[in-house]
Amino acid sequence: MSFRAHLESVVNQVDGALACSVMGFDGISVETYQKDDAAELELGGAWVEYANLLTQLKNAAEVLKTGTVTELSVNSDKVLTLIRMVSPEYFLILALRAEGNYGKGRYVLRVTAPKVRAEL
């Protein structure tokens, strides 16, 4: 199964999902699936910034010896963003409308991450 198929499956399973991507910590997307109605949002730019934030959080967790960061969410007025680690170098990122199904998004990313890891 291709990355795109996994990402499309995530977006189609979660109510309110707009887009999903496999990204590296350098901020470069490996693959992205985005619904047409998400075109008005600048998700790519936001996701690059979130990759930087995730890098800082990983470093802080290491210094503080709190364990590995596995998941992060950034909730704003219009978009809920969920990030799930796939490997030490890659993560899944999912954008939902503010009224989207946050819990289902977390669940679907958790079960999809090992499938994506197997493809890397």
Side-chain angles (χ1 to χ4, degrees):
M1 194 172 204
S2 70
F3 289 131
R4 185 167 179 85
H6 288 301
L7 302 174
E8 187 173 353
S9 175
V10 168
V11 170
N12 289 334
Q13 288 181 67
V14 181
D15 291 336
L18 298 168
C20 190
S21 185
V22 178
M23 293 186 72
F25 282 93
D26 56 4
I28 297 173
S29 172
V30 174
E31 182 69 74
T32 299
Y33 174 77
Q34 181 171 322
K35 287 185 170 180
D36 292 336
D37 58 344
E40 77 275 2
L41 299 172
E42 178 49 49
L43 295 174
W47 288 355
V48 169
E49 295 303 324
Y50 293 161
N52 291 330
L53 178 62
L54 187 55
T55 299
Q56 292 175 16
L57 288 171
K58 277 181 44 176
N59 293 339
E62 185 177 309
V63 168
L64 297 170
K65 299 180 184 351
T66 59
T68 305
V69 174
T70 57
E71 185 179 82
L72 172 70
S73 67
V74 180
N75 303 341
S76 61
D77 290 341
K78 294 181 182 178
V79 179
L80 303 176
T81 304
L82 301 171
I83 300 170
R84 181 79 183 186
M85 296 299 300
V86 172
S87 73
E89 299 86 24
Y90 296 97
F91 58 91
L92 284 169
I93 188 163
L94 173 65
L96 306 163
R97 295 198 180 283
E99 65 278 358
N101 192 335
Y102 180 83
K104 178 90 179 257
R106 289 185 65 214
Y107 170 76
V108 173
L109 285 184
R110 184 172 53 82
V111 298
T112 303
K115 297 173 188 174
V116 171
R117 184 180 316 114
E119 300 282 334
L120 291 172

